[in-house]
PDB file of all heavy atoms in Angstrom:
ATOM      1  N   ILE O   1       7.990   9.757  -7.757  1.00 98.00           N
ATOM      2  CA  ILE O   1       7.036   9.325  -8.788  1.00 98.00           C
ATOM      3  C   ILE O   1       5.709   8.924  -8.156  1.00 98.00           C
ATOM      4  O   ILE O   1       4.637   9.295  -8.640  1.00 98.00           O
ATOM      5  CB  ILE O   1       7.641   8.191  -9.633  1.00 98.00           C
ATOM      6  CG1 ILE O   1       8.805   8.750 -10.452  1.00 98.00           C
ATOM      7  CG2 ILE O   1       6.597   7.543 -10.525  1.00 98.00           C
ATOM      8  CD1 ILE O   1       9.682   7.713 -11.081  1.00 98.00           C
ATOM      9  N   GLY O   2       5.768   8.200  -7.064  1.00 98.00           N
ATOM     10  CA  GLY O   2       4.538   7.826  -6.369  1.00 98.00           C
ATOM     11  C   GLY O   2       3.733   9.043  -5.957  1.00 98.00           C
ATOM     12  O   GLY O   2       2.514   9.094  -6.156  1.00 98.00           O
ATOM     13  N   ARG O   3       4.395  10.056  -5.408  1.00 98.00           N
ATOM     14  CA  ARG O   3       3.700  11.279  -5.002  1.00 98.00           C
ATOM     15  C   ARG O   3       3.106  12.008  -6.203  1.00 98.00           C
ATOM     16  O   ARG O   3       2.022  12.576  -6.117  1.00 98.00           O
ATOM     17  CB  ARG O   3       4.657  12.202  -4.237  1.00 98.00           C
ATOM     18  CG  ARG O   3       4.912  11.739  -2.823  1.00 98.00           C
ATOM     19  CD  ARG O   3       5.703  12.784  -2.031  1.00 98.00           C
ATOM     20  NE  ARG O   3       6.393  12.109  -0.965  1.00 98.00           N
ATOM     21  CZ  ARG O   3       7.681  11.759  -0.982  1.00 98.00           C
ATOM     22  NH1 ARG O   3       8.440  12.052  -2.020  1.00 98.00           N
ATOM     23  NH2 ARG O   3       8.209  11.130   0.041  1.00 98.00           N
ATOM     24  N   GLU O   4       3.828  12.019  -7.345  1.00 98.00           N
ATOM     25  CA  GLU O   4       3.318  12.686  -8.549  1.00 98.00           C
ATOM     26  C   GLU O   4       1.998  12.070  -9.015  1.00 98.00           C
ATOM     27  O   GLU O   4       1.173  12.755  -9.605  1.00 98.00           O
ATOM     28  CB  GLU O   4       4.350  12.609  -9.679  1.00 98.00           C
ATOM     29  CG  GLU O   4       5.524  13.530  -9.475  1.00 98.00           C
ATOM     30  CD  GLU O   4       6.612  13.365 -10.528  1.00 98.00           C
ATOM     31  OE1 GLU O   4       6.455  12.529 -11.459  1.00 98.00           O
ATOM     32  OE2 GLU O   4       7.636  14.065 -10.414  1.00 98.00           O
ATOM     33  N   TYR O   5       1.791  10.804  -8.736  1.00 98.00           N
ATOM     34  CA  TYR O   5       0.549  10.128  -9.111  1.00 98.00           C
ATOM     35  C   TYR O   5      -0.481  10.136  -7.977  1.00 98.00           C
ATOM     36  O   TYR O   5      -1.515   9.480  -8.066  1.00 98.00           O
ATOM     37  CB  TYR O   5       0.828   8.694  -9.555  1.00 98.00           C
ATOM     38  CG  TYR O   5       1.353   8.617 -10.961  1.00 98.00           C
ATOM     39  CD1 TYR O   5       2.726   8.668 -11.211  1.00 98.00           C
ATOM     40  CD2 TYR O   5       0.491   8.516 -12.052  1.00 98.00           C
ATOM     41  CE1 TYR O   5       3.222   8.610 -12.505  1.00 98.00           C
ATOM     42  CE2 TYR O   5       0.978   8.454 -13.343  1.00 98.00           C
ATOM     43  CZ  TYR O   5       2.339   8.507 -13.559  1.00 98.00           C
ATOM     44  OH  TYR O   5       2.829   8.455 -14.847  1.00 98.00           O
ATOM     45  N   GLY O   6      -0.199  10.860  -6.917  1.00 98.00           N
ATOM     46  CA  GLY O   6      -1.158  11.002  -5.834  1.00 98.00           C
ATOM     47  C   GLY O   6      -1.195   9.843  -4.853  1.00 98.00           C
ATOM     48  O   GLY O   6      -2.140   9.721  -4.075  1.00 98.00           O
ATOM     49  N   ALA O   7      -0.176   9.018  -4.869  1.00 98.00           N
ATOM     50  CA  ALA O   7      -0.142   7.872  -3.958  1.00 98.00           C
ATOM     51  C   ALA O   7       0.176   8.319  -2.539  1.00 98.00           C
ATOM     52  O   ALA O   7       0.911   9.278  -2.322  1.00 98.00           O
ATOM     53  CB  ALA O   7       0.902   6.862  -4.422  1.00 98.00           C
ATOM     54  N   ARG O   8      -0.385   7.596  -1.606  1.00 98.00           N
ATOM     55  CA  ARG O   8      -0.007   7.741  -0.199  1.00 98.00           C
ATOM     56  C   ARG O   8       1.104   6.731   0.039  1.00 98.00           C
ATOM     57  O   ARG O   8       0.967   5.545  -0.314  1.00 98.00           O
ATOM     58  CB  ARG O   8      -1.201   7.460   0.715  1.00 98.00           C
ATOM     59  CG  ARG O   8      -0.926   7.807   2.162  1.00 98.00           C
ATOM     60  CD  ARG O   8      -2.225   7.981   2.927  1.00 98.00           C
ATOM     61  NE  ARG O   8      -3.135   6.880   2.740  1.00 98.00           N
ATOM     62  CZ  ARG O   8      -3.324   5.898   3.632  1.00 98.00           C
ATOM     63  NH1 ARG O   8      -2.665   5.891   4.773  1.00 98.00           N
ATOM     64  NH2 ARG O   8      -4.187   4.942   3.376  1.00 98.00           N
ATOM     65  N   ILE O   9       2.206   7.188   0.602  1.00 98.00           N
ATOM     66  CA  ILE O   9       3.386   6.337   0.754  1.00 98.00           C
ATOM     67  C   ILE O   9       3.679   6.136   2.228  1.00 98.00           C
ATOM     68  O   ILE O   9       3.703   7.094   3.002  1.00 98.00           O
ATOM     69  CB  ILE O   9       4.604   6.969   0.051  1.00 98.00           C
ATOM     70  CG1 ILE O   9       4.299   7.170  -1.436  1.00 98.00           C
ATOM     71  CG2 ILE O   9       5.845   6.108   0.243  1.00 98.00           C
ATOM     72  CD1 ILE O   9       5.293   8.015  -2.181  1.00 98.00           C
ATOM     73  N   VAL O  10       3.903   4.879   2.599  1.00 98.00           N
ATOM     74  CA  VAL O  10       4.313   4.553   3.957  1.00 98.00           C
ATOM     75  C   VAL O  10       5.604   3.752   3.883  1.00 98.00           C
ATOM     76  O   VAL O  10       5.835   3.006   2.925  1.00 98.00           O
ATOM     77  CB  VAL O  10       3.230   3.755   4.722  1.00 98.00           C
ATOM     78  CG1 VAL O  10       1.972   4.590   4.891  1.00 98.00           C
ATOM     79  CG2 VAL O  10       2.918   2.447   4.055  1.00 98.00           C
ATOM     80  N   ALA O  11       6.438   3.942   4.870  1.00 97.00           N
ATOM     81  CA  ALA O  11       7.699   3.196   4.927  1.00 97.00           C
ATOM     82  C   ALA O  11       7.418   1.785   5.421  1.00 97.00           C
ATOM     83  O   ALA O  11       6.651   1.582   6.364  1.00 97.00           O
ATOM     84  CB  ALA O  11       8.679   3.900   5.856  1.00 97.00           C
ATOM     85  N   ALA O  12       8.043   0.833   4.777  1.00 96.00           N
ATOM     86  CA  ALA O  12       7.868  -0.570   5.168  1.00 96.00           C
ATOM     87  C   ALA O  12       8.578  -0.837   6.489  1.00 96.00           C
ATOM     88  O   ALA O  12       9.643  -0.291   6.763  1.00 96.00           O
ATOM     89  CB  ALA O  12       8.423  -1.487   4.088  1.00 96.00           C
ATOM     90  N   ASP O  13       7.962  -1.682   7.265  1.00 95.00           N
ATOM     91  CA  ASP O  13       8.576  -2.193   8.490  1.00 95.00           C
ATOM     92  C   ASP O  13       9.079  -3.584   8.144  1.00 95.00           C
ATOM     93  O   ASP O  13       8.295  -4.449   7.722  1.00 95.00           O
ATOM     94  CB  ASP O  13       7.521  -2.243   9.593  1.00 95.00           C
ATOM     95  CG  ASP O  13       8.026  -2.854  10.881  1.00 95.00           C
ATOM     96  OD1 ASP O  13       9.117  -3.465  10.899  1.00 95.00           O
ATOM     97  OD2 ASP O  13       7.318  -2.727  11.897  1.00 95.00           O
ATOM     98  N   ASP O  14      10.358  -3.804   8.292  1.00 89.00           N
ATOM     99  CA  ASP O  14      10.941  -5.080   7.875  1.00 89.00           C
ATOM    100  C   ASP O  14      10.367  -6.279   8.627  1.00 89.00           C
ATOM    101  O   ASP O  14      10.462  -7.405   8.161  1.00 89.00           O
ATOM    102  CB  ASP O  14      12.465  -5.054   8.039  1.00 89.00           C
ATOM    103  CG  ASP O  14      13.123  -4.090   7.069  1.00 89.00           C
ATOM    104  OD1 ASP O  14      12.532  -3.811   6.008  1.00 89.00           O
ATOM    105  OD2 ASP O  14      14.234  -3.604   7.375  1.00 89.00           O
ATOM    106  N   GLN O  15       9.743  -6.042   9.768  1.00 91.00           N
ATOM    107  CA  GLN O  15       9.165  -7.126  10.561  1.00 91.00           C
ATOM    108  C   GLN O  15       7.677  -7.341  10.266  1.00 91.00           C
ATOM    109  O   GLN O  15       7.091  -8.306  10.734  1.00 91.00           O
ATOM    110  CB  GLN O  15       9.343  -6.836  12.058  1.00 91.00           C
ATOM    111  CG  GLN O  15      10.775  -6.575  12.472  1.00 91.00           C
ATOM    112  CD  GLN O  15      11.708  -7.722  12.123  1.00 91.00           C
ATOM    113  OE1 GLN O  15      11.379  -8.881  12.347  1.00 91.00           O
ATOM    114  NE2 GLN O  15      12.856  -7.417  11.534  1.00 91.00           N
ATOM    115  N   ALA O  16       7.078  -6.452   9.497  1.00 92.00           N
ATOM    116  CA  ALA O  16       5.635  -6.520   9.250  1.00 92.00           C
ATOM    117  C   ALA O  16       5.287  -7.574   8.211  1.00 92.00           C
ATOM    118  O   ALA O  16       6.078  -7.885   7.322  1.00 92.00           O
ATOM    119  CB  ALA O  16       5.120  -5.158   8.798  1.00 92.00           C
ATOM    120  N   LEU O  17       4.090  -8.094   8.318  1.00 89.00           N
ATOM    121  CA  LEU O  17       3.533  -9.010   7.332  1.00 89.00           C
ATOM    122  C   LEU O  17       2.632  -8.217   6.390  1.00 89.00           C
ATOM    123  O   LEU O  17       2.212  -7.111   6.706  1.00 89.00           O
ATOM    124  CB  LEU O  17       2.709 -10.094   8.043  1.00 89.00           C
ATOM    125  CG  LEU O  17       3.445 -10.920   9.091  1.00 89.00           C
ATOM    126  CD1 LEU O  17       2.457 -11.800   9.842  1.00 89.00           C
ATOM    127  CD2 LEU O  17       4.533 -11.741   8.439  1.00 89.00           C
ATOM    128  N   ALA O  18       2.310  -8.788   5.247  1.00 88.00           N
ATOM    129  CA  ALA O  18       1.448  -8.100   4.276  1.00 88.00           C
ATOM    130  C   ALA O  18       0.133  -7.679   4.907  1.00 88.00           C
ATOM    131  O   ALA O  18      -0.365  -6.578   4.668  1.00 88.00           O
ATOM    132  CB  ALA O  18       1.207  -8.997   3.068  1.00 88.00           C
ATOM    133  N   VAL O  19      -0.441  -8.519   5.725  1.00 90.00           N
ATOM    134  CA  VAL O  19      -1.735  -8.231   6.348  1.00 90.00           C
ATOM    135  C   VAL O  19      -1.650  -7.009   7.276  1.00 90.00           C
ATOM    136  O   VAL O  19      -2.647  -6.328   7.492  1.00 90.00           O
ATOM    137  CB  VAL O  19      -2.261  -9.489   7.083  1.00 90.00           C
ATOM    138  CG1 VAL O  19      -1.448  -9.800   8.318  1.00 90.00           C
ATOM    139  CG2 VAL O  19      -3.724  -9.365   7.374  1.00 90.00           C
ATOM    140  N   ASP O  20      -0.467  -6.695   7.773  1.00 92.00           N
ATOM    141  CA  ASP O  20      -0.310  -5.556   8.679  1.00 92.00           C
ATOM    142  C   ASP O  20      -0.570  -4.221   8.001  1.00 92.00           C
ATOM    143  O   ASP O  20      -0.879  -3.234   8.665  1.00 92.00           O
ATOM    144  CB  ASP O  20       1.093  -5.552   9.292  1.00 92.00           C
ATOM    145  CG  ASP O  20       1.349  -6.762  10.176  1.00 92.00           C
ATOM    146  OD1 ASP O  20       0.372  -7.332  10.703  1.00 92.00           O
ATOM    147  OD2 ASP O  20       2.522  -7.153  10.325  1.00 92.00           O
ATOM    148  N   TYR O  21      -0.457  -4.152   6.687  1.00 96.00           N
ATOM    149  CA  TYR O  21      -0.663  -2.902   5.962  1.00 96.00           C
ATOM    150  C   TYR O  21      -2.121  -2.668   5.565  1.00 96.00           C
ATOM    151  O   TYR O  21      -2.472  -1.578   5.147  1.00 96.00           O
ATOM    152  CB  TYR O  21       0.243  -2.855   4.724  1.00 96.00           C
ATOM    153  CG  TYR O  21       1.703  -2.886   5.095  1.00 96.00           C
ATOM    154  CD1 TYR O  21       2.465  -4.029   4.891  1.00 96.00           C
ATOM    155  CD2 TYR O  21       2.308  -1.782   5.687  1.00 96.00           C
ATOM    156  CE1 TYR O  21       3.797  -4.066   5.261  1.00 96.00           C
ATOM    157  CE2 TYR O  21       3.645  -1.818   6.056  1.00 96.00           C
ATOM    158  CZ  TYR O  21       4.380  -2.957   5.842  1.00 96.00           C
ATOM    159  OH  TYR O  21       5.704  -3.000   6.213  1.00 96.00           O
ATOM    160  N   LEU O  22      -2.947  -3.678   5.684  1.00 95.00           N
ATOM    161  CA  LEU O  22      -4.344  -3.545   5.269  1.00 95.00           C
ATOM    162  C   LEU O  22      -5.091  -2.507   6.093  1.00 95.00           C
ATOM    163  O   LEU O  22      -5.983  -1.830   5.588  1.00 95.00           O
ATOM    164  CB  LEU O  22      -5.052  -4.890   5.338  1.00 95.00           C
ATOM    165  CG  LEU O  22      -4.474  -5.986   4.444  1.00 95.00           C
ATOM    166  CD1 LEU O  22      -5.290  -7.259   4.586  1.00 95.00           C
ATOM    167  CD2 LEU O  22      -4.381  -5.544   3.007  1.00 95.00           C
ATOM    168  N   SER O  23      -4.725  -2.361   7.343  1.00 94.00           N
ATOM    169  CA  SER O  23      -5.411  -1.380   8.194  1.00 94.00           C
ATOM    170  C   SER O  23      -5.119   0.055   7.754  1.00 94.00           C
ATOM    171  O   SER O  23      -5.834   0.972   8.140  1.00 94.00           O
ATOM    172  CB  SER O  23      -4.995  -1.571   9.654  1.00 94.00           C
ATOM    173  OG  SER O  23      -3.614  -1.291   9.801  1.00 94.00           O
ATOM    174  N   LEU O  24      -4.091   0.263   6.934  1.00 97.00           N
ATOM    175  CA  LEU O  24      -3.763   1.603   6.450  1.00 97.00           C
ATOM    176  C   LEU O  24      -4.615   2.018   5.258  1.00 97.00           C
ATOM    177  O   LEU O  24      -4.677   3.196   4.911  1.00 97.00           O
ATOM    178  CB  LEU O  24      -2.287   1.666   6.052  1.00 97.00           C
ATOM    179  CG  LEU O  24      -1.281   1.355   7.168  1.00 97.00           C
ATOM    180  CD1 LEU O  24       0.133   1.335   6.598  1.00 97.00           C
ATOM    181  CD2 LEU O  24      -1.406   2.336   8.308  1.00 97.00           C
ATOM    182  N   ALA O  25      -5.265   1.057   4.642  1.00 97.00           N
ATOM    183  CA  ALA O  25      -6.100   1.345   3.470  1.00 97.00           C
ATOM    184  C   ALA O  25      -7.353   2.100   3.900  1.00 97.00           C
ATOM    185  O   ALA O  25      -7.946   1.817   4.936  1.00 97.00           O
ATOM    186  CB  ALA O  25      -6.478   0.054   2.758  1.00 97.00           C
ATOM    187  N   ARG O  26      -7.765   3.048   3.065  1.00 97.00           N
ATOM    188  CA  ARG O  26      -8.977   3.817   3.350  1.00 97.00           C
ATOM    189  C   ARG O  26     -10.238   3.055   2.969  1.00 97.00           C
ATOM    190  O   ARG O  26     -11.321   3.356   3.463  1.00 97.00           O
ATOM    191  CB  ARG O  26      -8.938   5.134   2.593  1.00 97.00           C
ATOM    192  CG  ARG O  26      -7.925   6.095   3.144  1.00 97.00           C
ATOM    193  CD  ARG O  26      -8.073   7.483   2.530  1.00 97.00           C
ATOM    194  NE  ARG O  26      -7.128   8.382   3.165  1.00 97.00           N
ATOM    195  CZ  ARG O  26      -6.079   8.899   2.549  1.00 97.00           C
ATOM    196  NH1 ARG O  26      -5.858   8.646   1.287  1.00 97.00           N
ATOM    197  NH2 ARG O  26      -5.265   9.692   3.202  1.00 97.00           N
ATOM    198  N   TYR O  27     -10.119   2.098   2.062  1.00 96.00           N
ATOM    199  CA  TYR O  27     -11.296   1.420   1.529  1.00 96.00           C
ATOM    200  C   TYR O  27     -11.264  -0.063   1.853  1.00 96.00           C
ATOM    201  O   TYR O  27     -10.230  -0.626   2.174  1.00 96.00           O
ATOM    202  CB  TYR O  27     -11.428   1.683   0.029  1.00 96.00           C
ATOM    203  CG  TYR O  27     -11.493   3.171  -0.242  1.00 96.00           C
ATOM    204  CD1 TYR O  27     -10.436   3.843  -0.833  1.00 96.00           C
ATOM    205  CD2 TYR O  27     -12.609   3.907   0.155  1.00 96.00           C
ATOM    206  CE1 TYR O  27     -10.492   5.216  -1.036  1.00 96.00           C
ATOM    207  CE2 TYR O  27     -12.668   5.283  -0.034  1.00 96.00           C
ATOM    208  CZ  TYR O  27     -11.604   5.927  -0.638  1.00 96.00           C
ATOM    209  OH  TYR O  27     -11.659   7.278  -0.821  1.00 96.00           O
ATOM    210  N   ASP O  28     -12.423  -0.691   1.740  1.00 93.00           N
ATOM    211  CA  ASP O  28     -12.584  -2.074   2.182  1.00 93.00           C
ATOM    212  C   ASP O  28     -12.162  -3.128   1.165  1.00 93.00           C
ATOM    213  O   ASP O  28     -12.122  -4.307   1.489  1.00 93.00           O
ATOM    214  CB  ASP O  28     -14.030  -2.334   2.592  1.00 93.00           C
ATOM    215  CG  ASP O  28     -14.382  -1.620   3.893  1.00 93.00           C
ATOM    216  OD1 ASP O  28     -13.468  -1.405   4.714  1.00 93.00           O
ATOM    217  OD2 ASP O  28     -15.555  -1.275   4.072  1.00 93.00           O
ATOM    218  N   TRP O  29     -11.870  -2.718  -0.062  1.00 95.00           N
ATOM    219  CA  TRP O  29     -11.412  -3.670  -1.077  1.00 95.00           C
ATOM    220  C   TRP O  29     -10.012  -3.292  -1.511  1.00 95.00           C
ATOM    221  O   TRP O  29      -9.722  -2.125  -1.777  1.00 95.00           O
ATOM    222  CB  TRP O  29     -12.370  -3.699  -2.269  1.00 95.00           C
ATOM    223  CG  TRP O  29     -13.622  -4.425  -1.912  1.00 95.00           C
ATOM    224  CD1 TRP O  29     -14.758  -3.890  -1.392  1.00 95.00           C
ATOM    225  CD2 TRP O  29     -13.841  -5.828  -2.006  1.00 95.00           C
ATOM    226  NE1 TRP O  29     -15.684  -4.886  -1.157  1.00 95.00           N
ATOM    227  CE2 TRP O  29     -15.143  -6.086  -1.530  1.00 95.00           C
ATOM    228  CE3 TRP O  29     -13.070  -6.898  -2.455  1.00 95.00           C
ATOM    229  CZ2 TRP O  29     -15.694  -7.361  -1.485  1.00 95.00           C
ATOM    230  CZ3 TRP O  29     -13.612  -8.166  -2.417  1.00 95.00           C
ATOM    231  CH2 TRP O  29     -14.906  -8.391  -1.932  1.00 95.00           C
ATOM    232  N   ILE O  30      -9.146  -4.292  -1.564  1.00 97.00           N
ATOM    233  CA  ILE O  30      -7.720  -4.087  -1.845  1.00 97.00           C
ATOM    234  C   ILE O  30      -7.375  -4.776  -3.161  1.00 97.00           C
ATOM    235  O   ILE O  30      -7.623  -5.984  -3.320  1.00 97.00           O
ATOM    236  CB  ILE O  30      -6.844  -4.689  -0.716  1.00 97.00           C
ATOM    237  CG1 ILE O  30      -7.327  -4.248   0.672  1.00 97.00           C
ATOM    238  CG2 ILE O  30      -5.376  -4.364  -0.948  1.00 97.00           C
ATOM    239  CD1 ILE O  30      -7.268  -2.775   0.941  1.00 97.00           C
ATOM    240  N   PHE O  31      -6.798  -4.013  -4.082  1.00 98.00           N
ATOM    241  CA  PHE O  31      -6.302  -4.561  -5.343  1.00 98.00           C
ATOM    242  C   PHE O  31      -4.783  -4.559  -5.261  1.00 98.00           C
ATOM    243  O   PHE O  31      -4.147  -3.509  -5.179  1.00 98.00           O
ATOM    244  CB  PHE O  31      -6.772  -3.721  -6.536  1.00 98.00           C
ATOM    245  CG  PHE O  31      -6.333  -4.287  -7.856  1.00 98.00           C
ATOM    246  CD1 PHE O  31      -6.966  -5.407  -8.374  1.00 98.00           C
ATOM    247  CD2 PHE O  31      -5.300  -3.718  -8.574  1.00 98.00           C
ATOM    248  CE1 PHE O  31      -6.572  -5.947  -9.595  1.00 98.00           C
ATOM    249  CE2 PHE O  31      -4.903  -4.238  -9.788  1.00 98.00           C
ATOM    250  CZ  PHE O  31      -5.531  -5.364 -10.297  1.00 98.00           C
ATOM    251  N   CYS O  32      -4.186  -5.734  -5.252  1.00 98.00           N
ATOM    252  CA  CYS O  32      -2.739  -5.876  -5.123  1.00 98.00           C
ATOM    253  C   CYS O  32      -2.096  -5.921  -6.502  1.00 98.00           C
ATOM    254  O   CYS O  32      -2.505  -6.718  -7.352  1.00 98.00           O
ATOM    255  CB  CYS O  32      -2.405  -7.153  -4.353  1.00 98.00           C
ATOM    256  SG  CYS O  32      -3.084  -7.160  -2.682  1.00 98.00           S
ATOM    257  N   ILE O  33      -1.093  -5.087  -6.692  1.00 98.00           N
ATOM    258  CA  ILE O  33      -0.400  -5.019  -7.974  1.00 98.00           C
ATOM    259  C   ILE O  33       1.079  -4.747  -7.720  1.00 98.00           C
ATOM    260  O   ILE O  33       1.444  -4.085  -6.754  1.00 98.00           O
ATOM    261  CB  ILE O  33      -1.043  -3.950  -8.896  1.00 98.00           C
ATOM    262  CG1 ILE O  33      -0.397  -3.945 -10.279  1.00 98.00           C
ATOM    263  CG2 ILE O  33      -1.031  -2.591  -8.244  1.00 98.00           C
ATOM    264  CD1 ILE O  33      -1.138  -3.097 -11.300  1.00 98.00           C
ATOM    265  N   ASP O  34       1.900  -5.288  -8.572  1.00 97.00           N
ATOM    266  CA  ASP O  34       3.342  -5.118  -8.486  1.00 97.00           C
ATOM    267  C   ASP O  34       3.756  -3.943  -9.372  1.00 97.00           C
ATOM    268  O   ASP O  34       3.117  -3.712 -10.400  1.00 97.00           O
ATOM    269  CB  ASP O  34       4.004  -6.420  -8.968  1.00 97.00           C
ATOM    270  CG  ASP O  34       5.484  -6.432  -8.735  1.00 97.00           C
ATOM    271  OD1 ASP O  34       6.220  -5.978  -9.642  1.00 97.00           O
ATOM    272  OD2 ASP O  34       5.928  -6.894  -7.675  1.00 97.00           O
ATOM    273  N   PRO O  35       4.803  -3.213  -9.038  1.00 98.00           N
ATOM    274  CA  PRO O  35       5.241  -2.107  -9.898  1.00 98.00           C
ATOM    275  C   PRO O  35       5.640  -2.552 -11.310  1.00 98.00           C
ATOM    276  O   PRO O  35       5.673  -1.735 -12.216  1.00 98.00           O
ATOM    277  CB  PRO O  35       6.457  -1.530  -9.171  1.00 98.00           C
ATOM    278  CG  PRO O  35       6.304  -1.957  -7.766  1.00 98.00           C
ATOM    279  CD  PRO O  35       5.570  -3.267  -7.798  1.00 98.00           C
ATOM    280  N   ARG O  36       5.912  -3.834 -11.515  1.00 97.00           N
ATOM    281  CA  ARG O  36       6.259  -4.347 -12.849  1.00 97.00           C
ATOM    282  C   ARG O  36       5.015  -4.660 -13.674  1.00 97.00           C
ATOM    283  O   ARG O  36       5.125  -5.140 -14.788  1.00 97.00           O
ATOM    284  CB  ARG O  36       7.070  -5.645 -12.736  1.00 97.00           C
ATOM    285  CG  ARG O  36       8.373  -5.508 -12.007  1.00 97.00           C
ATOM    286  CD  ARG O  36       9.023  -6.872 -11.819  1.00 97.00           C
ATOM    287  NE  ARG O  36       8.155  -7.755 -11.056  1.00 97.00           N
ATOM    288  CZ  ARG O  36       7.922  -9.033 -11.353  1.00 97.00           C
ATOM    289  NH1 ARG O  36       8.495  -9.603 -12.371  1.00 97.00           N
ATOM    290  NH2 ARG O  36       7.102  -9.760 -10.611  1.00 97.00           N
TER     291      ARG O  36
END
């Protein structure tokens, strides 16, 4: 479903913190949203 909407998907690292994923973003502003 994520791919159907054009999302880029990365596998979570169980040891990573939320801030560790920010470097993967292409843009400088991050909008955080839950799938719910």
Side-chain angles (χ1 to χ4, degrees):
I1 292 167
R3 284 188 204 100
E4 286 175 1
Y5 281 90
R8 189 160 50 102
I9 301 169
V10 297
D13 176 348
D14 292 335
Q15 305 303 315
L17 303 172
V19 70
D20 296 335
Y21 298 106
L22 299 181
S23 65
L24 300 175
R26 289 190 176 111
Y27 303 109
D28 289 332
W29 286 91
I30 311 298
F31 183 75
C32 299
I33 184 170
D34 188 270
R36 299 174 300 136

